[in-house]
Amino acid sequence: APIARAYRKFFAKMQEEKPHVIFVASAGNAGNADKTTGALNGINDCPAGIAMPNVITVASINNDGSRAEFSGFATGDGEVTLAAPGVQMVVGVDENGQPIKKNGKSYSAPQVSAAIALIQSINPELNAGQIKELLVATAAPGVTTGNQSIPIPEGLGAGVLRVDEAVLKTIND
C-alpha cells in the first residue's frame, strides 16, 4: 500500500505538471492458467493496475483473443486498460531463416507505446487522458478469425488495441 500511494502521488503530480505524459505499464507475467495468481488490485503490482488518467496497463492475449496464461488481469480496484498480442511474437529469424517466436508481456506493452507515439505525432495537443480515452474507445471488443469472434475475457480491459482505428480517429478528429 505505501508503494502504491507513492506511485499515485507521482502520477498525480505528473498529470498536473506534465499533462501530455502518459505511462504504459505491463499487466505482468505472474498469471497462471487457473487465475490463482496474476490478479491486479491497484496496490499489489505497481505501477500496473493503477487506475489513473495518465496510466495505461496492458494485458497480453493469445492470437485467438484469450488471455495469455502468464498475463495479469484486473480485479477489485485494479485496472487493465487494454489487451495486445503477446504470444508467438516473431522477434527475428534463426540461421535457417525460420522465425524465432517468443511470448511475454514485453511484447504487448510496446505496441501500446508505439500507438501512443503515432497518435502524438498526428496531434501533439492531446493530453494523456484524451489519448487513453481514444485508445479505449477504438479498442476491438474481441478477436475475429474467419466467421468467429471471441470477446476479450473479463479483467483484460476495454478490448484489443486497434492502432489503425486509433490513428484514423486521430486524423479524422
Side-chain angles (χ1 to χ4, degrees):
I3 292 171
R5 280 194 301 275
Y7 269 115
R8 288 179 197 282
K9 184 176 178 180
F10 169 75
F11 292 136
K13 185 78 166 168
M14 288 299 294
Q15 186 176 354
E16 178 186 319
E17 294 183 6
K18 306 282 185 187
H20 292 85
V21 175
I22 190 162
F23 297 88
V24 179
S26 165
N29 282 340
N32 61 11
D34 64 6
K35 295 177 81 172
T36 56
T37 62
L40 300 174
N41 62 15
I43 295 173
N44 63 337
D45 199 9
C46 296
I50 292 178
M52 292 190 74
N54 57 348
V55 179
I56 293 177
T57 300
V58 185
S60 291
I61 57 170
N62 295 308
N63 293 332
D64 67 0
S66 60
R67 181 180 67 87
E69 180 177 301
F70 56 82
S71 181
F73 51 92
T75 61
D77 292 330
E79 175 187 289
V80 169
T81 315
L82 296 169
V87 176
Q88 294 296 304
M89 305 302 291
V90 177
V91 297
V93 293
D94 65 18
E95 62 278 352
N96 299 317
Q98 296 301 307
I100 299 170
K101 297 179 180 180
K102 300 280 185 170
N103 302 336
K105 50 80 178 144
S106 300
Y107 305 107
S108 304
Q111 293 175 60
V112 175
S113 297
I116 292 167
L118 284 169
I119 292 164
Q120 288 176 323
S121 73
I122 296 164
N123 186 351
E125 299 303 314
L126 292 174
N127 67 37
Q130 292 167 322
I131 292 171
K132 183 175 180 175
E133 288 173 11
L134 173 72
L135 291 173
V136 166
T138 58
V143 172
T144 301
T145 54
N147 61 357
Q148 182 182 13
S149 184
I150 299 173
I152 291 299
E154 184 178 341
L156 298 189
V160 181
L161 172 68
R162 285 290 309 261
V163 178
D164 56 341
E165 293 292 334
V167 167
L168 181 62
K169 181 160 179 41
T170 305
I171 291 169
N172 288 338
D173 288 349

